[in-house]
Amino acid sequence: MKKSIIALSAILLASPVFAATTTDNTVAEAHKGADTAKEKLHKAQHEGQEMKLKSEHAAEGKSHTTGSKITEGAQKGWNKTKEGTEKGWDKTKQGAEDLKNKATN
């Protein structure tokens, strides 16, 4: 009887540790999935912007001019910069959230 009470007590004391680890892993996976979905969405949006710009240049008869190539290259560069900045910001927010969770637990 004593052994079963001790074993039960040990399990009850250890269960919050297992729950916290499971929750942390679940949250990390959710963040990873959300980041992937957001990256795919923004990549599709940026490709749409680039295609729109190319079609505008083609409609104006400027599709092979130096100015249109520069504009299209600048658009691609800007989109890459926005994506990189957003990834960095997301990692910063997640890091701050992780620190907050560790401090409160």
Side-chain angles (χ1 to χ4, degrees):
M1 183 76 169
K2 278 187 175 180
K3 289 182 182 179
S4 61
I5 291 174
I6 292 172
L8 182 61
S9 297
I11 291 172
L12 290 175
L13 288 174
S15 63
V17 173
F18 293 122
T21 303
T22 303
T23 303
D24 291 344
N25 292 340
T26 304
V27 169
E29 287 298 316
H31 280 302
K32 187 177 178 181
D35 290 343
T36 303
K38 188 167 34 171
E39 287 171 20
K40 287 180 181 179
L41 171 67
H42 289 167
K43 186 174 183 175
Q45 288 173 335
H46 294 156
E47 287 175 0
Q49 289 173 345
E50 292 165 14
M51 296 287 284
K52 180 182 175 188
L53 188 59
K54 283 184 180 187
S55 67
E56 287 174 3
H57 288 163
E60 295 170 357
K62 302 178 185 178
S63 61
H64 298 292
T65 64
T66 304
S68 68
K69 290 180 182 179
I70 290 171
T71 305
E72 291 165 11
Q75 182 69 44
K76 278 186 179 183
W78 175 246
N79 289 341
K80 293 284 183 191
T81 300
K82 287 193 310 187
E83 289 171 13
T85 302
E86 191 167 85
K87 281 182 186 179
W89 179 242
D90 287 344
K91 295 292 180 196
T92 301
K93 288 192 309 186
Q94 289 171 10
E97 187 177 299
D98 290 344
L99 286 175
K100 179 184 167 190
N101 290 340
K102 287 180 182 177
T104 57
N105 291 335

